[in-house]
Amino acid sequence: MSKDRRITYRTDPYEHVVQADGAVIVAEDNEGRIALIRHTIPLHGDTLSLPGGMVEDGEDPLNAAKRELEEEAGLTASGWTPLGTTVPMPRSTLTLHMYAARDLSDGVQALSTTEAEQGLTVEWTPRKEAIQAALDGRIKLAGAALALLLYAAC
C-alpha cells in the first residue's frame, strides 16, 4: 500500500479502513532515559509519543522499526527485543509492531518534510517519567502508551 493511501470501505453498518502496518520503538539509553518524540499533529495538537511510523510494502516490521528510529530520532541500536503486536483500532487493518531498542548509537536523523513541518523533536526522558506519561495521558497515542507499559513490565 502506498504511503499516502488509505482506503475506507463501508460494510453495513460499519466502515473499515485499510491502512499500512506500523512500528513503534521504545529506545532506552545507557542512562535510563527513553527517547520520546514531540510534534504537532493536525488532529491532536502538541503530541508526545515514541519514534515510529509505517511499515512500507514488503518491508519487514523490524527493519521498518530500525529505519524509523534513525529517521525520526537519529539513532541506531544493536539490541532489539520485540514487545508484541496490537490492533489499535477495531475497524482498521493496521497492526502495530512494538519493539524495544538498546545499545544505542548516533545515526543520521532524516525527517520527512511533514515531520519537519510538525516540529518533530526528540526529548530524552527518565524511564520512570516516560512510563508515568503513558499512565497519566500525556502520551495520547494508544500504541505508544501500550509499548511503554509493555516495556515497563519486562
Side-chain angles (χ1 to χ4, degrees):
M1 171 176 307
S2 104
K3 203 176 211 183
D4 299 322
R5 188 171 174 187
R6 288 178 177 77
I7 304 170
T8 302
Y9 292 96
R10 181 149 179 86
T11 51
D12 286 330
Y14 302 108
E15 288 184 346
H16 67 273
V17 179
V18 177
Q19 291 179 275
D21 287 351
V24 66
I25 306 97
V26 179
E28 184 173 9
D29 70 7
N30 292 335
E31 297 175 34
R33 301 176 304 164
I34 304 287
L36 296 181
I37 299 296
R38 184 174 298 279
H39 53 142
T40 302
I41 298 175
L43 289 177
H44 304 291
D46 183 50
T47 303
L48 191 59
S49 189
L50 291 170
M54 292 189 343
V55 177
E56 301 291 343
D57 284 340
E59 186 177 26
D60 175 74
L62 177 58
N63 289 337
K66 291 177 179 181
R67 176 180 50 75
E68 288 290 345
L69 181 62
E70 186 165 19
E71 286 176 3
E72 289 192 355
L75 298 168
T76 63
S78 59
W80 288 88
T81 305
L83 297 172
T85 60
T86 189
V87 179
M89 297 175 287
R91 294 189 185 111
S92 169
T93 61
L94 168 70
T95 296
L96 185 64
H97 304 269
M98 299 170 287
Y99 296 94
R102 293 187 189 88
D103 303 318
L104 305 177
S105 301
D106 288 335
V108 178
Q109 189 179 43
L111 298 179
S112 69
T113 301
T114 301
E115 291 165 337
E117 288 171 354
Q118 293 175 347
L120 189 147
T121 58
V122 179
E123 295 182 8
W124 287 100
T125 307
R127 182 178 203 244
K128 186 175 180 178
E129 183 181 332
I131 292 163
Q132 185 59 44
L135 290 168
D136 66 22
R138 283 179 285 151
I139 293 180
K140 300 174 188 177
L141 304 180
L146 176 60
L148 273 165
L149 296 176
L150 289 170
Y151 183 72
C154 291

